[in-house]
Amino acid sequence: MWFLTDEDVPDSVGGFLSDRGHDVLRARNHFLPGTEDAVIARAASEQGLTVVTWNLRHFRALAKRRRSSGQLIYPGMSLVVFSCEHSDGLTRIEKVIEEIEASMLIRLARGETRVIFEVGKAVLRIED
């Protein structure tokens, strides 16, 4: 799976995903500092990437944004958004990664292009 870690994601989280065999792109290596979230969302959607971020409010809103026709604006972008403290991120992703991976594989097998995971201090929430 391909992940794109946002500027606010600790290297430990990206490193963990990479160590599990996932391809991890770091936004800070591919975009200028402070690049607008919509630019990152568009790139992720076009390339079928899963954005990993602590920017829950902005990226969830972008993921749900629709055109007047009802089609998603960023249909190819999945999300792993954290609602816990940065210091808890690595521990939480280690605990829930198997559920995230399995859910993503199930959706890919169904031909679905995106899913949103919210990783909280004591919860993993999955939504379409």
Side-chain angles (χ1 to χ4, degrees), residues 4-17 27-28 37 40 50-61 78-94 96 100 117-121 123:
L4 172 62
T5 58
D6 199 11
E7 291 178 321
D8 61 354
V9 176
D11 286 338
S12 60
V13 172
F16 170 74
L17 294 170
R28 66 178 165 264
D37 294 338
I40 293 170
T50 299
V51 175
V52 180
T53 185
W54 260 260
N55 192 345
L56 175 88
R57 187 174 58 114
H58 288 142
F59 273 97
R60 180 179 277 151
S78 290
L79 293 176
V80 174
V81 292
F82 287 84
S83 58
C84 61
E85 297 294 324
H86 283 80
S87 58
D88 294 327
L90 180 58
T91 302
R92 290 299 298 142
I93 195 75
E94 289 172 339
V96 299
I100 290 172
F117 301 95
E118 180 183 341
V119 180
K121 187 168 177 94
V123 67

Side-chain angles (χ1 to χ4, degrees), residues 28-71:
R28 66 178 165 264
N29 294 338
H30 298 278
F31 300 94
L32 293 173
T35 296
E36 291 186 25
D37 294 338
V39 172
I40 293 170
R42 183 173 52 245
S45 182
E46 290 171 355
Q47 297 176 42
L49 305 175
T50 299
V51 175
V52 180
T53 185
W54 260 260
N55 192 345
L56 175 88
R57 187 174 58 114
H58 288 142
F59 273 97
R60 180 179 277 151
L62 287 167
K64 293 183 176 192
R65 191 173 290 168
R66 295 182 179 271
R67 300 182 191 288
S68 59
S69 65
Q71 293 178 323

